[in-house]
């Protein structure tokens, strides 16, 4: 692609250094610049609206799909719809992510609407990283929406990471889970300055022995604000666990709002939330090893978020 900014951001959000093997679609400034399907995974541009339909054949094993997005033009507003149809018994990794470089004065925004139809017995891991950079005054905004529909005995693991530099984000994940299926959601989030992040999780546990684990680890620095909303509806014999674990620094703000509803006598639902500052003894211990207070805080934050 011969664009050092684009290449750098692709590496950050999706680990792509060269064109990946297998199925992929690389989107830059609202357009697909490179696309490839594989024997078992077909990527088809949507005829109505911007986006793709990704069809993964039943029984597909150990394959990957890369669908990163990069924007480096100030003033763009990009909306894309991607649908994933995962066949029965398939086992795949899907790597997404969006990075925005904004050196201008206008807002640049990407809204990715992703819908997953996970077939019976399929196992899917979906990774999505968000990142912002640039010396301009224009905002960098990312508003992902993820909808998941899990058939019986399937597993979907979602890992979302917002690394840094995103001025505003409103992140929505909704799912319905059938019998013996499992939805695992892991969020890692870092905000700083005047940034704001809203996370909304909503899961319907409809099938017998369905389960979900929703966890968020976040750090709010500067004057940044974070809002975490988690809704679990137990509509059958099921198990659900929602957890928010946050560190506040400087004048950061974090609000966690749990909402668990048991509509069945054998629904087991748990919510946990822990919000607080870095423990002083952690900083002192690292300072005795020669780190400054700022360096100690950075190391603690990195370890807490695992980034």
């Amino acid at each position: 692609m011969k664009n050092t900014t684009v290449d750098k951001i692709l590496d950050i959000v999706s680990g792509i250094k060269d064109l990946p093997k297998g199925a992929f679609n690389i989107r830059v400034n609202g357009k697909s610049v490179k696309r490839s399907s594989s024997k078992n995974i077909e990527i088809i541009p949507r005829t109505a609206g911007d986006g793709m339909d990704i069809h993964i054949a039943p029984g597909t094993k150990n394959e990957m799909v890369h669908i990163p997005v990069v924007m480096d033009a100030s003033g763009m507003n990009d909306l894309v719809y991607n649908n994933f149809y995962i066949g029965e018994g398939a086992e795949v990794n899907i790597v997404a992510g969006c990075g925005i470089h904004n050196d201008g004065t206008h807002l640049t925004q990407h809204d990715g609407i992703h819908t997953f139809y996970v077939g019976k017995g399929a196992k899917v891991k979906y990774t999505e990283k968000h990142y912002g950079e640039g010396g301009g005054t224009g905002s960098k905004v990312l508003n992902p929406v993820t909808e998941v529909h899990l058939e019986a005995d399937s597993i979907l693991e979602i890992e979302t990471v917002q690394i840094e530099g995103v001025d505003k984000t409103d992140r929505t994940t909704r799912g319905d889970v059938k019998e013996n299926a499992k939805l695992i959601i892991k969020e890692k989030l870092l905000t700083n300055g005047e940034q704001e992040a809203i996370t909304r999780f909503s899961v319907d546990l409809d099938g017998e022995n369905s389960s979900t684990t929703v966890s968020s680890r976040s750090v709010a620095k500067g004057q940044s604000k974070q809002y975490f909303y988690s809704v679990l509806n137990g509509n059958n014999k099921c198990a659900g666990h929602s957890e928010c674990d946050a560190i506040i620094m400087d004048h950061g703000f974090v609000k966690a709002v749990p909402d668990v509803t048991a509509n069945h006598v054998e629904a087991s639902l748990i919510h946990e939330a822990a919000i607080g500052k870095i423990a002083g003894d952690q900083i002192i211990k690292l300072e005795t090893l020669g780190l400054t207070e700022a360096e100690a805080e950075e190391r603690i934050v990195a370890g807490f978020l695992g980034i």
Side-chain angles (χ1 to χ4, degrees), residues 229-267:
Y229 302 95
S230 177
V231 178
L232 302 184
N233 296 313
N235 302 322
N236 207 321
K237 178 184 177 182
C238 62
H241 187 176
S242 173
E243 177 183 353
C244 173
D245 196 357
I247 291 175
I248 53 174
M249 302 172 64
D250 309 316
H251 299 284
F253 168 93
V254 177
K255 182 176 184 177
V257 182
D259 184 341
V260 293
T261 301
N263 296 312
H264 191 281
V265 68
E266 293 191 73

Side-chain angles (χ1 to χ4, degrees), residues 11-291:
D11 187 15
I12 290 172
V13 300
S14 64
I16 292 178
K17 298 183 186 297
D18 299 303
L19 288 181
K21 297 179 180 179
F24 65 86
N25 184 86
I26 298 174
R27 184 179 179 89
V28 178
N29 292 328
K31 296 181 179 180
S32 176
V33 296
K34 294 284 184 178
R35 180 187 301 124
S36 178
S37 295
S38 69
K39 178 181 177 181
N40 297 314
I41 301 173
E42 187 175 15
I43 299 178
I44 305 170
R46 284 165 49 90
T47 55
D50 240 346
M52 303 167 295
D53 290 334
I54 297 98
H55 295 266
I56 299 171
T60 298
K61 303 291 184 182
N62 302 318
E63 290 202 36
M64 295 189 69
V65 185
H66 289 83
I67 55 162
V69 174
V70 177
M71 301 176 71
D72 68 348
S74 186
M76 286 200 68
N77 193 326
D78 186 29
L79 173 63
V80 63
Y81 293 85
N82 295 327
N83 297 321
F84 299 84
Y85 301 92
I86 297 101
E88 186 172 324
E91 297 181 10
V92 294
N93 287 343
I94 301 170
V95 179
C98 178
I100 295 176
H101 179 95
N102 191 351
D103 277 334
T105 59
H106 302 289
L107 178 148
T108 297
Q109 178 171 333
H110 174 75
D111 298 342
I113 317 299
H114 293 173
T115 304
F116 291 81
Y117 301 91
V118 184
K120 184 177 179 179
K123 297 180 181 179
V124 181
K125 182 171 183 180
Y126 174 68
T127 305
E128 182 177 74
K129 292 185 179 181
H130 288 162
Y131 169 75
E133 65 171 34
T137 58
S139 295
K140 300 168 285 292
V141 177
L142 290 163
N143 295 324
V145 175
T146 304
E147 296 202 11
V148 301
H149 308 286
L150 274 67
E151 295 296 326
D153 303 306
S154 63
I155 300 174
L156 173 60
E157 180 178 348
I158 299 174
E159 183 172 326
T160 66
V161 180
Q162 183 170 299
I163 306 168
E164 61 178 288
V166 178
D167 294 301
K168 193 169 184 179
T169 183
D170 193 334
R171 311 153 65 84
T172 299
T173 302
R174 295 185 290 263
D176 53 77
V177 187
K178 292 188 178 179
E179 60 270 21
N180 300 309
K182 181 184 295 186
L183 174 60
I184 303 165
I185 305 172
K186 301 175 183 178
E187 174 187 69
K188 298 176 183 178
L189 183 63
L190 174 64
T191 57
N192 202 350
E194 301 290 334
Q195 295 166 3
E196 180 179 285
I198 303 172
T199 295
R200 311 173 196 268
F201 292 127
S202 180
V203 181
D204 290 323
L205 295 165
D206 295 330
E208 186 175 2
N209 295 319
S210 58
S211 65
T212 188
T213 301
V214 177
S215 64
S216 175
R217 281 201 163 197
S218 68
V219 176
K221 296 182 177 182
Q223 307 281 342
S224 66
K225 293 180 172 60
Q226 297 181 8
Y227 303 84
F228 174 82
Y229 302 95
S230 177
V231 178
L232 302 184
N233 296 313
N235 302 322
N236 207 321
K237 178 184 177 182
C238 62
H241 187 176
S242 173
E243 177 183 353
C244 173
D245 196 357
I247 291 175
I248 53 174
M249 302 172 64
D250 309 316
H251 299 284
F253 168 93
V254 177
K255 182 176 184 177
V257 182
D259 184 341
V260 293
T261 301
N263 296 312
H264 191 281
V265 68
E266 293 191 73
S268 176
L269 306 175
I270 300 170
H271 177 80
E272 299 177 283
I275 304 171
K277 66 179 181 179
I278 296 173
D281 57 349
Q282 292 179 283
I283 294 176
I284 292 172
K285 182 178 180 179
L286 289 173
E287 286 180 326
T288 62
L289 299 176
L291 276 67

